[in-house]
Amino acid sequence: QVQLVESGGGLVQAGESLRLSCALSGRTFRNFDMGWFRQAPGLEREFVAAINRNGGSTYYADSMKGRFTISRDNAKNTVYLQMNSLTPEDTARYYCAAGYFVTTDWLRPTSYAYWGQGTQATVSS
C-alpha cells in the first residue's frame, strides 16, 4: 500500500513561512497526481493546492494564490508546499494526498486514493 508521511509543520508568527514536505513510498511516485488539503478544528477539510504527475500543472485555492507554492521532486518521491505570509487563518492540520486527476477533479478529496496523517501548522498573531 502507499504510505505518505508529512513533515515541516510547526509554530510560527504571522507573516512567517513554513515549508511542508510529503514523502511517498510503496508505489511509483511519478505516476501520481498530488495534492495538499487542510483542516482546522470544527471545519471541513478544504483543498489547498495540487500538482499533476509531471509537475507541469499546478492548482491553488483562491485564498492561497500568491502565497503558497506546490512543487515536486520525482527523483526524491516528495511533494512540497511552501507557505509564505502566513496568517492565523492558515492554522490547520495539513494533509498530503495522492491520486489520479481527470480534468478539474483535483478539487475533490474523492480524487485522492491515499492520504497521509497530516502535519500541524499553527500561526500565532
Side-chain angles (χ1 to χ4, degrees), residues 49-120:
I51 187 166
N52 75 332
R53 64 199 68 186
N54 63 20
S57 298
T58 58
Y59 313 92
Y60 299 93
D62 287 343
S63 62
M64 322 302 172
K65 292 178 181 177
R67 298 192 302 123
F68 290 9
T69 303
I70 188 171
S71 61
R72 67 190 295 161
D73 187 340
N74 285 352
K76 297 181 178 179
N77 295 343
T78 301
V79 63
Y80 305 94
L81 184 68
Q82 178 69 41
M83 306 190 296
N84 297 328
S85 301
L86 288 165
T87 74
E89 289 72 35
D90 296 314
T91 295
R93 191 166 185 87
Y94 285 75
Y95 296 88
C96 176
Y100 298 96
F101 299 162
V102 179
T103 62
T104 59
D105 61 356
W106 33 265
L107 290 168
R108 302 180 300 186
T110 54
S111 297
Y112 300 86
Y114 306 103
W115 294 80
Q117 294 183 344
T119 184
Q120 179 68 33

